[in-house]
Amino acid sequence: MVQYQVLFEVSLSHKYYSGPFTKDYEVIMTASLRAMMKSYQLIFKKKPEGFAILGKSDHLFLLSSTKEAIKFRFGIQIKNRYFENFSKIRPAAPYMKYMFRNEIYQENKDGDSETQDINLHAGELLSDTNYNFCVSRNFQPSKIWGNELTISDRNDNYFEGEIDENTQLDQILIDDYGSYQVKSSQSGQEDEVFYLEPELEKSWGIVEISLQSSSDTQFEKVIGSHFKINIDARKVFWSYYFVSSNNNYFKNISVYLGKEKIDFSEIEQVLLPNNQGATKITSQTPISLSKFYDGPKIYAELEDITSQGSKEVAGINKVYLPTPNIQRIKAVAVNQKIRYYAEMYIQNL
């Protein structure tokens, strides 16, 4: 009976879901990676929290004996169009992607443990340190570095000289995909650049698991490793618009989560695009988004002033409040920084 052993596995979790989110992404494998895995009789196995690479127990020694570095490079392609709305990630930008490399974070195994958990980012949660320059074959280097540049791999200079403005990267690097240092002779600026296979161009993130590429990625250190990518939920300011049926404004509004009062701004009287008046409040600090808001309900106590004869009478109205719709998150520039807002409307009060 053929027995399989885990070479390594990769899992992704998201605080918005409080766990895995496999329905929101697809793992992309290149033709060259599939061919390499076939030659070593490795198989790709999808798992609820990510994926694993398995090999026949009696064939894995072939990987340990190779003298050439092996790169397992996967693309993470996001399928949820609102992913950026509820994820604490950088906004999409030209030539930039998230990179996850075990060469940077691989650690020595702890004693005789067969597995080890390794985050593929500096902290417990993903940060901007993984946001890298990633370019494809038709990229024109002169757009960034000018006409004179040096392109280096980890061994030696790959290219040094002058190019014209129409030169594409594949004319210089051909199919030698991977990491390079690019230096402009004009400014002296040096950047790390990842040259990606065409199949990975539309990926949000790239997972690169290296084997036998350095002392930190030797076979015995990588085998059995559990690589993790943990994404934080985006925190946004919650704004509520209370719309009165008689077009009145509210004098005071207090917001509670169960018995705990939440700190919101003073009321603001605003005019909506339909010329209807509303009373607006906004949370003083951003609040983390969540797929499921467990625990006590969030509600508001509204103080409305009405006239009865010659007297004004205050009435308290308790209203349960909605939570943010991820499709309606707004990004607003405030003092050269981007703030995210969720706007919610409570009608016919």
Side-chain angles (χ1 to χ4, degrees), residues 160-193:
E160 183 174 7
E162 187 173 348
I163 60 174
D164 62 48
E165 61 182 13
N166 296 318
T167 299
Q168 296 184 348
L169 200 56
D170 64 336
Q171 296 174 262
I172 302 173
L173 301 179
I174 317 299
D175 292 335
D176 292 336
Y177 303 106
S179 174
Y180 293 89
Q181 296 292 328
V182 180
K183 183 177 182 180
S184 169
S185 59
Q186 298 173 356
S187 64
Q189 174 185 348
E190 186 172 76
D191 296 299
E192 183 179 22
V193 176

Side-chain angles (χ1 to χ4, degrees), residues 133-327:
F133 221 129
C134 295
V135 293
S136 54
R137 303 178 67 177
N138 60 357
F139 173 74
Q140 296 172 329
S142 62
K143 289 183 176 180
I144 305 294
W145 299 284
N147 298 102
E148 293 186 22
L149 49 82
T150 300
I151 301 178
S152 309
D153 58 17
R154 65 166 54 202
N155 297 318
D156 203 350
N157 285 349
Y158 196 99
F159 173 86
E160 183 174 7
E162 187 173 348
I163 60 174
D164 62 48
E165 61 182 13
N166 296 318
T167 299
Q168 296 184 348
L169 200 56
D170 64 336
Q171 296 174 262
I172 302 173
L173 301 179
I174 317 299
D175 292 335
D176 292 336
Y177 303 106
S179 174
Y180 293 89
Q181 296 292 328
V182 180
K183 183 177 182 180
S184 169
S185 59
Q186 298 173 356
S187 64
Q189 174 185 348
E190 186 172 76
D191 296 299
E192 183 179 22
V193 176
F194 290 87
Y195 177 45
L196 298 177
E197 294 91 334
E199 298 100 313
L200 304 181
E201 288 182 22
K202 295 182 179 180
S203 298
W204 162 79
I206 308 297
V207 177
E208 184 182 80
I209 305 302
S210 298
L211 196 66
Q212 307 288 81
S213 63
S214 67
S215 60
D216 291 328
T217 59
Q218 294 301 305
F219 174 81
E220 62 273 9
K221 294 185 179 180
V222 174
I223 187 170
S225 292
H226 181 187
F227 301 109
K228 295 183 175 183
I229 300 170
N230 306 309
I231 302 174
D232 198 3
R234 186 175 295 287
K235 293 180 174 63
V236 306
F237 291 90
W238 293 21
S239 290
Y240 286 104
Y241 294 80
F242 298 88
V243 184
S244 171
S245 56
N246 56 12
N247 215 30
N248 286 341
Y249 296 102
F250 294 95
K251 181 180 180 182
N252 291 306
I253 301 176
S254 300
V255 179
Y256 295 88
L257 180 63
K259 295 182 180 181
E260 180 184 356
K261 187 175 182 180
I262 304 176
D263 194 14
F264 270 72
S265 67
E266 296 294 327
I267 60 170
E268 179 184 356
Q269 296 179 359
V270 298
L271 195 63
L272 301 179
N274 63 357
N275 289 322
Q276 192 172 15
T279 307
K280 175 186 176 182
I281 60 171
T282 300
S283 63
Q284 297 284 29
T285 58
I287 301 172
S288 183
L289 295 173
S290 178
K291 177 72 173 178
F292 307 103
Y293 292 93
D294 298 326
K297 298 289 185 180
I298 185 170
Y299 65 93
E301 290 185 350
L302 314 177
E303 184 179 351
D304 191 10
I305 302 298
T306 60
S307 297
Q308 294 183 3
S310 60
K311 296 182 179 181
E312 288 188 338
V313 180
I316 301 297
N317 189 14
K318 182 177 180 180
V319 178
Y320 286 97
L321 301 177
T323 53
N325 181 341
I326 61 168
Q327 299 181 19

Side-chain angles (χ1 to χ4, degrees), residues 45-184:
K45 182 181 180 182
K46 190 173 181 179
K47 303 183 68 176
E49 65 278 5
F51 64 92
I53 301 300
L54 310 177
K56 294 180 179 179
S57 298
D58 57 354
H59 280 70
L60 283 177
F61 75 92
L62 296 173
L63 288 170
S64 66
S65 59
T66 183
K67 295 182 180 180
E68 294 185 359
I70 299 175
K71 303 281 187 178
F72 295 83
R73 196 176 295 119
F74 307 88
I76 305 298
Q77 190 165 319
I78 300 300
K79 298 191 293 183
N80 188 330
R81 61 185 295 188
Y82 302 107
F83 188 72
E84 186 179 307
N85 284 10
F86 61 82
S87 305
K88 189 181 178 182
I89 57 175
R90 290 278 293 272
Y95 318 126
M96 300 296 287
K97 297 184 187 295
Y98 279 92
M99 287 290 306
F100 306 98
R101 295 182 293 166
N102 71 318
E103 278 189 321
I104 299 175
Y105 304 105
Q106 189 80 50
E107 300 173 353
N108 294 325
K109 288 195 173 181
D110 184 13
D112 297 327
S113 173
E114 294 184 359
T115 62
Q116 62 171 337
D117 293 342
I118 300 171
N119 288 337
L120 292 178
H121 36 74
E124 288 298 317
L125 296 166
L126 175 63
S127 68
D128 291 347
T129 57
N130 289 76
Y131 205 47
N132 291 94
F133 221 129
C134 295
V135 293
S136 54
R137 303 178 67 177
N138 60 357
F139 173 74
Q140 296 172 329
S142 62
K143 289 183 176 180
I144 305 294
W145 299 284
N147 298 102
E148 293 186 22
L149 49 82
T150 300
I151 301 178
S152 309
D153 58 17
R154 65 166 54 202
N155 297 318
D156 203 350
N157 285 349
Y158 196 99
F159 173 86
E160 183 174 7
E162 187 173 348
I163 60 174
D164 62 48
E165 61 182 13
N166 296 318
T167 299
Q168 296 184 348
L169 200 56
D170 64 336
Q171 296 174 262
I172 302 173
L173 301 179
I174 317 299
D175 292 335
D176 292 336
Y177 303 106
S179 174
Y180 293 89
Q181 296 292 328
V182 180
K183 183 177 182 180
S184 169

Side-chain angles (χ1 to χ4, degrees), residues 9-29:
E9 60 182 307
V10 178
S11 66
L12 291 84
S13 67
H14 200 305
K15 291 194 75 173
Y16 174 77
Y17 293 101
S18 300
F21 58 107
T22 49
K23 291 183 179 180
D24 276 354
Y25 67 87
E26 180 181 1
V27 179
I28 306 299
M29 298 175 63

